[in-house]
Amino acid sequence: MAPQPEARIMTDQPILLKTLLTQRHWQTYSTFCKEYDKAAKKVDPSLQGGWPSRAQLHRWLTGELKGLPYSGHCRVLEAMFPGKSARELFSTNAVEVPTPRTQPEPARSAGPDVAACAMPQMADVTAVFSSRSAFSSAYPPSTMFDSAKEINAAGLSLNIICQSYPDHQLRRLLDSGTRIRCLFLDPKGQAIHAREAEERYTDNTLTTLTALNITMLTRLRDRLDTASAQRLELHVYDETIRFNLLIVDRAFCVVQPYLPEARGVDSPTFVIKDNTAAEGLFPIFDQVFRDMWERSKPV
């Protein structure tokens, strides 16, 4: 099915594809890609891994697409949603699609399984904590890392990885194929001294701790075999510190701003779960990490 040119769709009505993805809980980018590959395998194995980029999917779901996607995409989407043509999937959803009935769940406190906030103004923010310690109580490192395939972290000393998660567990992850990228504030740079002054440290506390954590991971990397060592990447940057970022499997993000004169552990913490079907914050902070990583230098 070749893409046909047509006018740009701009409407307040949702695109049917977005409605169907939300109904099936496939709206996160990582889940969408998995379901896309399942359908591609049935249609044409050569189409596996050909899912759209995050930006492309966003255009698909917001009605910014001109015409239809390439024929390969159309074939896979029609296999994902049997009975719907590609043209129907990219039309506005004038008729409400019924949501499967589910039994109401009992109320529960916020924790690792907290449900996505239903308030549209909250976008993809699923939990907010007043401090890092409050967050850590609800989300212990083991619950975030034990099954992870990719961990990206940027901040100052990255204690959540270096001090709160055992070395042997990090080694197990790396040996099993997990990719870990750690971006530290450079202990030899100017920005870390500016942050020490702001937090009123006079004994190089942050510089010493950060250098120690880098050394710990460097020693761990030196003990790994070549393949595992390549999966542990350590970089430093020398810029004004704004956020502590933790992104797991490109779907779960923890964001903590650095406040004036306040220690990092005392700052509020936000939990974000990727929801490509919504106007969310996940792509913003994912891009922040990528941009910082590109400007950084390896250790």
Side-chain angles (χ1 to χ4, degrees):
M1 181 186 300
Q4 300 294 322
E6 59 183 41
R8 180 186 295 268
I9 301 171
M10 294 299 290
T11 175
D12 292 333
Q13 292 181 321
I15 301 301
L16 179 58
L17 175 61
K18 177 178 179 178
T19 301
L20 294 174
L21 289 174
T22 302
Q23 178 189 359
R24 288 162 173 77
H25 305 292
W26 294 352
Q27 65 267 39
T28 66
Y29 183 65
S30 57
T31 302
F32 172 84
C33 292
K34 291 177 183 177
E35 296 300 327
Y36 185 101
D37 268 355
K38 289 179 184 177
K41 185 176 181 180
K42 298 176 182 177
V43 174
D44 182 349
S46 68
L47 296 175
Q48 287 182 272
W51 16 263
S53 67
R54 188 186 296 274
Q56 283 178 303
L57 181 58
H58 179 74
R59 288 194 292 271
W60 287 7
L61 302 181
T62 54
E64 298 178 16
L65 184 68
K66 290 183 177 180
L68 295 176
Y70 291 117
S71 59
H73 286 317
C74 291
R75 292 169 62 197
V76 174
L77 290 172
E78 289 172 351
M80 290 174 69
F81 303 100
K84 300 293 183 183
S85 68
R87 189 168 295 279
E88 288 177 301
L89 291 172
F90 286 96
S91 65
T92 55
N93 181 29
V95 179
E96 183 179 357
V97 177
T99 302
R101 293 183 180 179
T102 57
Q103 294 296 323
E105 296 185 3
R108 56 186 177 184
S109 60
D113 296 323
V114 64
C117 181
M119 298 174 64
Q121 66 267 31
M122 291 294 286
D124 50 2
V125 177
T126 58
V128 179
F129 298 90
S130 60
S131 66
R132 186 181 300 170
S133 59
F135 161 77
S136 298
S137 296
Y139 289 81
S142 58
T143 64
M144 296 185 290
F145 299 155
D146 283 357
S147 300
K149 298 302 179 185
E150 180 176 292
I151 300 170
N152 293 326
L156 205 160
S157 304
L158 305 187
N159 287 331
I160 194 168
I161 291 177
C162 302
Q163 300 291 336
S164 302
Y165 198 68
D167 278 7
H168 72 274
Q169 289 291 77
L170 284 174
R171 182 165 189 163
R172 178 188 61 80
L173 287 176
L174 293 161
D175 287 341
S176 65
T178 301
R179 182 187 185 191
I180 301 176
R181 294 193 293 181
C182 295
L183 182 54
F184 296 89
L185 195 60
D186 192 346
K188 298 179 181 179
Q190 296 300 313
I192 198 167
H193 294 300
R195 184 62 194 179
E196 285 181 323
E198 189 168 36
E199 293 190 26
R200 299 181 181 179
Y201 284 115
T202 59
D203 55 358
N204 296 321
T205 297
L206 300 181
T207 300
T208 302
L209 176 60
T210 305
L212 173 64
N213 285 351
I214 292 174
T215 299
M216 289 172 60
L217 291 187
T218 301
R219 289 178 177 174
L220 172 62
R221 186 174 58 184
D222 291 342
R223 297 196 301 268
L224 299 172
D225 61 42
T226 302
S228 296
Q230 290 176 344
R231 288 190 282 267
L232 176 57
E233 300 179 71
L234 310 177
H235 280 213
V236 294
Y237 69 106
D238 187 19
E239 303 174 12
T240 299
I241 189 166
R242 295 181 173 89
F243 300 106
N244 185 298
L245 299 175
L246 176 67
I247 302 173
V248 181
D249 290 335
R250 302 185 184 181
F252 177 88
C253 179
V254 181
V255 178
Q256 187 178 42
Y258 279 89
L259 303 180
E261 300 184 2
R263 296 188 307 157
V265 294
D266 296 327
S267 296
T269 305
F270 304 87
V271 177
I272 302 169
K273 293 184 179 179
D274 183 22
N275 183 353
T276 310
E279 292 290 338
L281 301 180
F282 185 93
I284 296 173
F285 289 106
D286 185 53
Q287 190 61 51
V288 169
F289 176 86
R290 293 173 185 273
D291 290 345
M292 291 175 64
W293 187 262
E294 290 179 1
R295 296 194 300 268
S296 65
K297 60 182 182 180
V299 175

